[in-house]
């Protein structure tokens, strides 16, 4: 949805096959956990996670990495 209105979007997917399918449909997706995808500090203006945190082994680590990848505001 956000790509259609002009935003640059990225996604992460734990399953390489699912990440590949997303890439083939035109999405920018990195395979692996967020902490292993090595996004730049401050790279994102917004980060969303739908129905995700309840599946993380250590959600605090994921949240800290997401905050580090987001901009200053």
């Amino acid at each position: 949805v956000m790509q259609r209105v002009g935003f640059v979007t990225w996604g992460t997917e734990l399953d390489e096959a699912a990440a590949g399918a997303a890439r083939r449909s035109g999405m920018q997706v990195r395979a692996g956990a967020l902490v292993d995808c090595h996004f730049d500090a401050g790279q994102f203006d917004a980060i969303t996670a739908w129905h995700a945190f309840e599946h993380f082994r250590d959600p605090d680590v994921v949240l800290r990495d997401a905050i580090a990848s987001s901009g200053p505001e």
Side-chain angles (χ1 to χ4, degrees):
V1 171
M2 299 307 289
Q3 277 183 318
R4 289 190 295 246
V5 295
F7 287 88
V8 175
T9 62
W10 276 95
T12 62
E13 172 55 56
L14 293 175
D15 180 31
E16 178 60 52
R23 284 188 215 105
R24 286 189 295 281
S25 72
M27 296 180 194
Q28 296 184 97
V29 177
R30 292 186 182 173
L34 179 62
V35 297
D36 299 324
C37 287
H38 308 291
F39 290 107
D40 294 334
Q43 181 171 344
F44 301 111
D45 293 325
I47 296 174
T48 59
W50 290 296
H51 306 285
F53 278 87
E54 65 271 22
H55 301 285
F56 298 136
R57 201 171 310 134
D58 192 348
D60 291 336
V61 170
V62 176
L63 185 57
R64 280 193 298 272
D65 195 58
I67 290 168
S69 297
S70 65
E73 297 178 22

